[in-house]
């Protein structure tokens, strides 16, 4: 089977690039640097897509800790500041809390600049995330959402992925839009696939201000003559630092996922497992290779589409204050290639459906 993997990539701030500055060797890598990265004009530049993929998965070290500030660094700074500020409000009375500033100055400034976006839930709690099309790429984006691969430069905005193919012509309008936020599954799709976006969360009386979350996404769109599939598992952990508003909180976790698939009318079972420490991590399962990557990548199918018949997802979070907190749910399709999916939580009362889901960007 031929399967291509789209690795969504991003790029560079036009106002700070000067390609005429040694344009002939702007992105020259040594012959030995098959998978390498350099820092150029405040932007990470990778030798090829393989190098970028390894950086995203942690296989390629980014040796620029002191000189490069990524969007992920900025988000971590906001999260830490917000947690400290929220903690400082926990002893306020309800009347005092209603009158005070609800967020740190850094949070409000970042919100105003469009670095983050927020969503208000039914219980009036507020969740925030980076306001970019692909949040999982934040660790390799500079502050303005750019980086490069070879002689191409890319930018991820809140709703577009842009590419400049000519380093010597980086005018404001000389880019091509590769993907947009509004890409949706066509209503007359030739495959008998079903889009899914389902999540569950678990609370624990030992840490009443915390919740552990697991979400499964499976969305297929046309990429004529092929099809593009965005299939991800998301693991998150949140804490109400002031007893009122959720903020991300990193914990160690173990993620396991099991799928019963139908490929060319034959059943196939695939199992995945991953361990990590984080507050909002994305994983992409590759059914052909029985491998799960700590990235958020689209996949292109030319044939042998994997239909999901049944799945089980389990995340085990380990906050330091208490023992493990488990999120476990499953989904099963009514028919082999027809009907809706049905979901349940294995009758575990502390695990409930998450609605609405966390914002994807």
């Amino acid at each position: 089977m031929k399967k291509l993997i789209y690795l969504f990539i991003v790029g560079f701030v036009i106002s700070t690039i000067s390609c005429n500055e040694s344009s002939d060797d702007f992105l020259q890598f040594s012959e030995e640097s098959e998978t390498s990265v350099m820092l150029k004009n405040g932007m990470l530049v990778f030798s090829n897509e393989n190098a970028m993929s390894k950086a995203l998965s942690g296989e390629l070290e980014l040796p620029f800790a002191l000189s490069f500030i990524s969007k992920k660094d900025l988000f971590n700074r906001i999260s830490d500041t917000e947690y400290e500020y929220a903690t400082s409000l926990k002893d306020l009375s309800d009347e005092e809390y209603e009158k005070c500033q609800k967020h740190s100055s850094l949070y409000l400034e970042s919100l105003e600049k469009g670095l983050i976006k927020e969503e208000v839930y039914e219980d009036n709690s507020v969740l925030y995330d980076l306001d970019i099309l692909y949040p999982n790429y934040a660790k390799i984006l500079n502050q303005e959402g750019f980086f490069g691969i070879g002689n191409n430069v890319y930018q991820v905005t809140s709703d577009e992925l842009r590419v400049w193919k000519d380093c010597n012509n980086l005018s404001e309008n000389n880019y091509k839009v590769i993907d947009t936020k509004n890409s949706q599954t066509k209503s007359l799709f030739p495959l008998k696939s079903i889009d899914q976006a389902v999540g569950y969360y678990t609370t624990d009386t030992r840490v009443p201000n915390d919740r552990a979350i697991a979400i499964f996404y499976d969305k297929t769109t046309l990429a004529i003559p092929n099809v593009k599939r965005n299939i991800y598992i998301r693991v998150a952990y949140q804490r109400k630092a002031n007893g009122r508003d959720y903020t991300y909180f990193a914990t160690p976790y173990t993620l396991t996922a099991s799928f019963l698939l139908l490929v060319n009318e034959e059943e196939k079972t695939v199992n995945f497992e991953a361990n990590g420490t984080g507050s909002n991590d994305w994983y992409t399962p590759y059914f052909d290779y029985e491998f799960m990557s700590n990235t958020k990548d689209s996949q292109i199918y030319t044939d042998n589409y994997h239909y999901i018949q049944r799945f089980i997802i389990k995340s085990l979070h380990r906050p330091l204050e208490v023992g493990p907190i488990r999120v476990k749910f499953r989904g099963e399709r009514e028919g082999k290639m027809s009907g809706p999916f049905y979901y349940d939580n294995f009758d575990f009362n502390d695990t409930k459906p998450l609605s609405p889901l966390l914002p994807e960007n």
Side-chain angles (χ1 to χ4, degrees), residues 332-344:
E332 184 168 1
R333 196 167 185 181
E334 185 178 55
K336 278 195 172 182
M337 297 179 65
S338 63
F341 268 88
Y342 296 98
Y343 310 100
D344 71 70

Side-chain angles (χ1 to χ4, degrees), residues 31-141:
E31 293 182 1
E32 294 80 15
S33 302
E34 294 184 1
T35 56
S36 60
V37 57
M38 65 171 63
L39 184 63
K40 182 75 173 182
N41 294 336
M43 173 187 72
L44 293 183
V45 182
F46 296 94
S47 55
N48 49 44
E49 291 186 1
N50 187 38
M52 185 203 68
S53 179
K54 287 188 174 183
L56 288 172
S57 64
E59 298 177 64
L60 177 63
E61 184 180 357
L62 301 177
F64 311 109
L66 298 179
S67 54
F68 176 70
I69 299 177
S70 69
K71 275 191 176 289
K72 184 175 179 61
D73 294 330
L74 293 175
F75 185 79
N76 289 340
R77 188 181 302 169
I78 294 169
S79 297
D80 291 343
T81 304
E82 188 69 0
Y83 182 77
E84 292 174 2
Y85 184 78
T87 302
S88 71
L89 305 179
K90 65 180 181 179
D91 294 328
L92 296 181
S93 66
D94 289 342
E95 183 178 355
E96 291 173 325
Y97 180 76
E98 288 302 319
K99 296 178 181 179
C100 76
Q101 179 176 300
K102 303 300 188 295
H103 298 281
S104 65
S105 297
L106 178 60
Y107 177 97
L108 297 175
E109 179 184 347
S110 301
L111 187 63
E112 182 179 357
K113 290 182 177 180
L115 177 62
I116 59 174
K117 64 183 296 185
E118 62 182 19
E119 181 169 330
V120 181
Y121 281 72
E122 294 176 357
D123 62 357
N124 292 322
S125 61
V126 177
L127 178 69
Y128 60 95
D129 205 346
L130 286 169
D131 191 13
I132 52 176
L133 189 60
Y134 305 120
N136 200 56
Y137 283 67
K139 65 187 277 187
I140 60 172
L141 302 178

Side-chain angles (χ1 to χ4, degrees), residues 12 19 21-30 38-40 43-47 148-153 167:
F12 188 73
C19 283
E21 177 193 51
S22 303
S23 61
D24 291 338
D25 62 355
F26 173 63
L27 301 176
Q28 292 294 321
F29 293 87
S30 64
M38 65 171 63
L39 184 63
K40 182 75 173 182
M43 173 187 72
L44 293 183
V45 182
F46 296 94
S47 55
I149 296 181
N151 281 308
N152 295 337
V153 293
C167 177

Side-chain angles (χ1 to χ4, degrees), residues 31-279:
E31 293 182 1
E32 294 80 15
S33 302
E34 294 184 1
T35 56
S36 60
V37 57
M38 65 171 63
L39 184 63
K40 182 75 173 182
N41 294 336
M43 173 187 72
L44 293 183
V45 182
F46 296 94
S47 55
N48 49 44
E49 291 186 1
N50 187 38
M52 185 203 68
S53 179
K54 287 188 174 183
L56 288 172
S57 64
E59 298 177 64
L60 177 63
E61 184 180 357
L62 301 177
F64 311 109
L66 298 179
S67 54
F68 176 70
I69 299 177
S70 69
K71 275 191 176 289
K72 184 175 179 61
D73 294 330
L74 293 175
F75 185 79
N76 289 340
R77 188 181 302 169
I78 294 169
S79 297
D80 291 343
T81 304
E82 188 69 0
Y83 182 77
E84 292 174 2
Y85 184 78
T87 302
S88 71
L89 305 179
K90 65 180 181 179
D91 294 328
L92 296 181
S93 66
D94 289 342
E95 183 178 355
E96 291 173 325
Y97 180 76
E98 288 302 319
K99 296 178 181 179
C100 76
Q101 179 176 300
K102 303 300 188 295
H103 298 281
S104 65
S105 297
L106 178 60
Y107 177 97
L108 297 175
E109 179 184 347
S110 301
L111 187 63
E112 182 179 357
K113 290 182 177 180
L115 177 62
I116 59 174
K117 64 183 296 185
E118 62 182 19
E119 181 169 330
V120 181
Y121 281 72
E122 294 176 357
D123 62 357
N124 292 322
S125 61
V126 177
L127 178 69
Y128 60 95
D129 205 346
L130 286 169
D131 191 13
I132 52 176
L133 189 60
Y134 305 120
N136 200 56
Y137 283 67
K139 65 187 277 187
I140 60 172
L141 302 178
N142 69 6
Q143 297 184 49
E144 292 79 13
F146 292 83
F147 86 93
I149 296 181
N151 281 308
N152 295 337
V153 293
Y154 303 81
Q155 181 186 24
V156 167
T157 69
S158 61
D159 56 5
E160 288 183 344
L161 171 62
R162 303 169 178 175
V163 59
W164 285 260
K165 293 289 188 179
D166 183 2
C167 177
N168 293 304
N169 188 15
L170 292 173
S171 63
E172 183 176 355
N173 298 317
N174 190 37
Y175 62 81
K176 178 180 179 182
V177 176
I178 299 177
D179 196 22
T180 68
K181 181 178 180 179
N182 296 321
S183 296
Q184 296 180 351
T185 302
K186 304 294 187 296
S187 58
L188 298 176
F189 197 70
L191 293 176
K192 298 177 181 178
S193 59
I194 292 181
D195 283 0
Q196 299 185 72
V198 56
Y200 280 77
Y201 73 97
T202 298
T203 56
D204 191 306
T205 55
R206 298 171 296 174
V207 279
N209 290 321
D210 293 17
R211 66 177 182 179
I213 300 169
I215 305 176
F216 176 61
Y217 305 88
D218 185 11
K219 300 180 181 179
T220 304
T221 58
L222 284 172
I224 298 174
N226 309 311
V227 295
K228 180 173 72 173
R229 190 175 196 177
N230 297 318
I231 180 167
Y232 314 121
I233 303 172
R234 187 178 184 182
V235 184
Y237 196 90
Q238 296 175 328
R239 172 169 291 178
K240 290 184 177 180
N242 57 14
R244 298 177 176 91
D245 299 321
Y246 281 115
T247 183
Y248 287 114
F249 188 81
T251 63
Y253 63 82
T254 297
L255 169 66
T256 58
S258 176
F259 293 87
L260 176 62
L261 308 168
L262 191 65
V263 188
N264 293 328
E265 300 184 356
E266 294 185 4
E267 289 189 349
K268 174 183 178 180
T269 300
V270 180
N271 299 305
F272 303 100
E273 181 172 342
N275 294 281
T277 298
S279 60

Side-chain angles (χ1 to χ4, degrees), residues 293-354:
S293 171
N294 184 201
T295 57
K296 185 183 178 186
D297 299 327
S298 289
Q299 302 174 57
I300 294 296
Y301 281 80
T302 58
D303 54 17
N304 294 346
Y305 189 89
H306 292 72
Y307 290 94
I308 297 175
Q309 303 302 300
R310 183 171 65 247
F311 68 85
I312 299 174
I313 292 174
K314 177 182 176 182
S315 61
L316 197 64
H317 306 255
R318 301 178 182 86
L320 296 178
E321 297 88 345
V322 296
I325 298 177
R326 182 190 70 177
V327 183
K328 186 177 180 181
F329 67 97
R330 61 188 169 190
E332 184 168 1
R333 196 167 185 181
E334 185 178 55
K336 278 195 172 182
M337 297 179 65
S338 63
F341 268 88
Y342 296 98
Y343 310 100
D344 71 70
N345 62 352
F346 292 89
D347 296 324
F348 187 51
N349 293 332
D350 291 334
T351 300
K352 302 177 179 63
L354 180 66

